[in-house]
Amino acid sequence: IQLTQSPSSLSASVGDRVTITCRASQGISSDLVWYQKKSGKAPNLLIYAASTLQSGVPSRFSGSGSGTDFTLTISSLQPEDFATYYCQQLNSFPLIFGGGTKVEIK
Amino acid sequence: EVQLLESGGGLVQPGESLRLSCTAPRFTLSNYAVSWVRQAPGKGLEWVSTLGTWSDDQHYADSVKGRFTISRDKSKNTVYLQMNGLRVEDTAVFYCAKGRGPNYPESRTFDSWGQGTLVTVSS
């Protein structure tokens, strides 16, 4: 199973709505999670089971999709959200991460 | 909040070995699946290996199969990654990560991570 994330990078302003997509090469049901990764820090789980918000994660983050097409949305970008975001499929081994989407300040 | 602690990284020459350790001060690791994930310089995240709650439940990326071995010592509450035959392309920060639960799909969703340990393979 391959995961294709897009875009690979984007520039946005505080308050913008941001959407990142992740496409699987074959159907993976809802076996997809999203992580946020900041430089020099460990990844942080945001969304699991495609659309369930991890405890403690702000509600401006949301996930949707099933099968092959998934989306991570940040409803109103905050300064602390500038980071790289990764999707990961867990339907079967090998576990695969998407290539990442770097969200930068416009 | 970092809940896992890795150690054992360092600088080695190609062909040499290293053993990484992952421990959890606040919970019992043997109750969860534990995985290793790495990030090479300037690259994305790459899954390396997963150890389920049963010792024979091991999975490896093709890039490390036959060279790396994951194991656990319950008495020490520690998971290890034995890395043999290291290559330049293994240079990365290695993270250990805990599954949300013991079984699929929770075992493959990583809700706690260590701070990472750097492995550099260079002649």
Side-chain angles (χ1 to χ4, degrees):
Chain A
I1 299 173
Q2 301 300 319
L3 292 180
T4 303
Q5 253 185 268
S6 60
S8 57
S9 66
L10 64 90
S11 295
S13 301
V14 172
D16 284 353
R17 182 181 182 89
V18 169
T19 299
I20 299 168
T21 64
C22 183
R23 175 164 289 177
S25 58
Q26 63 189 70
I28 57 171
S29 185
S30 296
D31 289 343
L32 189 105
V33 300
W34 292 95
Y35 300 94
Q36 178 191 67
K37 174 82 169 62
K38 296 182 178 179
S39 181
K41 303 286 189 180
N44 182 45
L45 177 64
L46 299 175
I47 302 285
Y48 63 92
S51 60
T52 304
L53 194 67
Q54 169 70 354
S55 175
V57 174
S59 59
R60 63 181 179 273
F61 291 93
S62 64
S64 64
S66 68
T68 60
D69 293 310
F70 303 86
T71 300
L72 173 70
T73 300
I74 309 172
S75 61
S76 177
L77 198 65
Q78 298 302 299
E80 60 268 29
D81 301 336
F82 292 95
T84 301
Y85 294 84
Y86 293 91
C87 57
Q88 177 221 324
Q89 73 83 17
L90 49 103
N91 184 260
S92 63
F93 287 104
L95 306 183
I96 297 294
F97 288 89
T101 296
K102 187 173 184 179
V103 177
E104 299 175 302
I105 301 173
K106 181 182 282 185
Chain B
E1 179 189 0
V2 173
Q3 298 185 335
L4 302 177
L5 296 173
E6 304 100 337
S7 61
L11 172 63
V12 297
Q13 295 189 342
E16 294 186 339
S17 299
L18 273 178
R19 188 179 75 165
L20 305 183
S21 300
C22 172
T23 189
R26 297 189 187 89
F27 52 86
T28 303
L29 270 182
S30 59
N31 291 338
Y32 301 91
V34 176
S35 298
W36 289 92
V37 175
R38 66 185 179 183
Q39 184 173 35
K43 303 295 185 181
L45 300 174
E46 178 189 16
W47 170 78
V48 173
S49 181
T50 294
L51 178 63
T53 52
W54 301 99
S55 293
D56 58 355
D57 183 17
Q58 303 173 19
H59 304 270
Y60 298 93
D62 285 346
S63 58
V64 307
K65 200 171 293 183
R67 299 188 298 125
F68 291 10
T69 303
I70 193 169
S71 63
R72 76 167 87 235
D73 184 332
K74 291 185 180 181
S75 68
K76 296 183 178 179
N77 198 33
T78 300
V79 171
Y80 301 102
L81 185 69
Q82 177 67 44
M83 305 186 296
N84 299 331
L86 282 162
R87 303 168 180 169
V88 171
E89 55 265 33
D90 293 318
T91 295
V93 175
F94 282 72
Y95 297 95
C96 66
K98 163 192 155 296
R100 289 185 61 243
N103 301 308
Y104 164 83
E106 289 83 5
S107 60
R108 306 173 191 179
T109 300
F110 310 136
D111 66 348
S112 296
W113 297 69
Q115 81 287 353
T117 187
L118 176 63
V119 172
T120 303
V121 186
S122 174
S123 55

